[in-house]
Amino acid sequence: MNKFFMSEEDSDFMPIIPINESDADQEKLEIAGAIPILPLKNTVLFPGVVLPITVGRDKSIKAVNEAYKGDKLIGVLAQRNAEIEEPEIKDLCQTGTIAKIVKLIKMPDGGTTVIIQGKKGLNC
């Protein structure tokens, strides 16, 4: 078989979220008021992509917990400079992604990991 084309049997990919998720689900995405913002260092989330994120900053943990208790939607913006520990609005990119928290995992060491899926572009 051509090395650039793989059949389904050759692929080791197993999606976390079903690929056939309906487009209608994305159209129903309604944001009531403000949503919490999760700044990411050295990472960009795109719509449709699923990412596991280890959340360490107190403000980020609070934002994730707040979103998880509600509609599970959170705004995800990349930081302009990953060395800034307490980013402000001016330290974040203005374009990001609205994500849905698929799973929230409290780790044994006290940390928090979230699995998020990008849903829709976000412009601040």
Side-chain angles (χ1 to χ4, degrees), residues 6-15:
M6 295 176 57
S7 70
E8 218 172 284
E9 294 91 30
D10 296 333
S11 174
D12 290 334
F13 174 73
M14 180 167 291

Side-chain angles (χ1 to χ4, degrees), residues 65-81:
N65 287 331
E66 183 181 322
Y68 196 72
K69 289 177 191 173
D71 56 10
K72 296 183 173 53
L73 294 178
I74 193 162
V76 180
L77 298 172
Q79 281 186 219
R80 295 178 189 275
N81 181 348

Side-chain angles (χ1 to χ4, degrees), residues 71-74 98-102 115-119:
D71 56 10
K72 296 183 173 53
L73 294 178
I74 193 162
I98 296 172
K100 182 143 191 138
I101 299 174
V102 177
I115 299 174
I116 55 176
Q117 180 178 26
K119 291 291 186 181

Side-chain angles (χ1 to χ4, degrees), residues 12-39:
D12 290 334
F13 174 73
M14 180 167 291
I16 295 174
I17 304 299
I19 292 175
N20 62 353
E21 187 173 309
S22 72
D23 291 338
D25 184 42
Q26 291 182 7
E27 291 175 15
K28 294 179 191 174
L29 189 65
E30 292 182 26
I31 298 153
I35 60 172
I37 297 293
L38 177 64

